[in-house]
Amino acid sequence: EDREETEKIVQLSRSLEASATLREDSLLRVLGPLMKSEKFNNEIQLVIKASHEAYAGQAGGTPDFMQKFLSDMQVSCEHARQEACRSLRDWGDELRESTLLRLGDSLFSELTSRALTELSQTAHDSHQSTVQLWIENDKKRAAHEKGLNPRLADANKSAELQALVEAEAQRQADAFRTCQEDRARMASEL
C-alpha cells in the first residue's frame, strides 16, 4: 500500500514536471527570445543583491519576511513579464490583421497605379518621339502610290519607275528601322 502511494506520488510529480516542461516549451515557442530575457533577469538579481546588502549589517542577515517577499517578487515579475510579452504579441497580431494588411493593399494599389501611369506616359512619349517620322513615312508612301500609274508602263519611263521602286524600298527600310527602334525603346522602358 505504501509502495502504491509512493508510485502515485512519483507519477504525479513526473506529470507535474512534464506539464511544467511543456508549458515552458510552449511559452518559449510563442514568446521566442523575449522568454529568456537576460537583461530583465539581471535587473531582478540586482534588486535581490541590493536587498541582501542592505540587511548584511544586521544580525541574522536578510529577514525571513524579506526573503519570502523577494522570492514572491521573482515569481510575480516573471509572470508579469510573460504576460506583457503575450500582450505585445497579441497587439502585434491585431495590428497586422486590422491595419497593416489593409495598408499593404492600399500601398500596393498606389504603387501599381503609379507604375501604370508612368508606363502610359512613357509609351505616349515614345509614340510622340516618332509620330512625325511616321507621318512623313505615310506621306512618302501615298506619294509613291500616286506616282505608280499606267504611264510608267512605257519603256521610256523605266528610269522613273526604277527611281520610284528604289525610293519605295528606301521608305520601307526606313519604316522597318523605325519599327525596330520603337520596339527597342518600349522594351527598355518596360
Side-chain angles (χ1 to χ4, degrees):
E1 187 174 288
D2 285 338
R3 182 181 169 122
E4 285 180 12
E5 191 172 316
T6 305
E7 286 178 4
K8 285 182 183 179
I9 291 172
V10 169
Q11 186 178 11
L12 179 62
S13 174
R14 286 182 184 160
S15 176
L16 289 174
E17 286 176 18
S19 205
T21 302
L22 179 62
R23 182 177 185 279
E24 288 297 315
D25 185 50
S26 297
L27 286 174
L28 186 59
R29 288 175 190 243
V30 171
L31 300 177
L34 292 174
M35 181 68 183
K36 299 293 184 190
S37 176
E38 291 304 319
K39 188 172 185 178
F40 181 83
N41 293 335
N42 290 341
E43 291 297 321
I44 297 298
Q45 293 304 319
L46 288 175
V47 170
I48 292 170
K49 182 180 177 185
S51 173
H52 288 309
E53 288 173 358
Y55 287 105
Q58 296 182 5
T62 306
D64 290 339
F65 79 91
M66 184 54 80
Q67 288 182 4
K68 180 171 179 4
F69 172 77
L70 292 173
S71 175
D72 290 346
M73 180 191 71
Q74 279 182 297
V75 171
S76 174
C77 287
E78 180 66 20
H79 179 72
R81 182 177 65 84
Q82 289 177 9
E83 286 301 316
C85 290
R86 284 187 203 104
S87 295
L88 181 62
R89 176 151 303 183
D90 289 342
W91 289 343
D93 289 343
E94 183 179 338
L95 177 65
R96 182 183 66 241
E97 295 297 326
S98 65
T99 305
L100 295 179
L101 289 176
R102 281 188 273 141
L103 186 61
D105 288 342
S106 297
L107 287 174
F108 183 74
S109 296
E110 175 67 20
L111 290 175
T112 302
S113 175
R114 285 182 187 181
L116 289 175
T117 301
E118 188 176 304
L119 179 63
S120 177
Q121 183 62 42
T122 301
H124 178 72
D125 292 346
S126 178
H127 173 72
Q128 289 300 319
S129 69
T130 59
V131 71
Q132 192 60 37
L133 291 174
W134 287 112
I135 289 172
E136 290 173 16
N137 193 299
D138 287 343
K139 285 180 182 177
K140 286 180 184 177
R141 183 186 49 78
H144 295 163
E145 285 179 358
K146 187 175 181 183
L148 187 61
N149 56 44
R151 72 177 179 81
L152 293 178
D154 185 2
N156 295 332
K157 303 286 183 177
S158 65
E160 189 178 331
L161 179 61
Q162 186 61 33
L164 183 62
V165 168
E166 289 174 4
E168 178 59 20
Q170 182 62 45
R171 184 206 63 83
Q172 186 180 18
D174 291 344
F176 285 145
R177 188 178 61 255
T178 303
C179 280
Q180 288 175 341
E181 290 171 359
D182 284 350
R183 285 185 188 131
R185 189 178 307 110
M186 286 303 292
S188 70
E189 296 299 329
L190 295 177

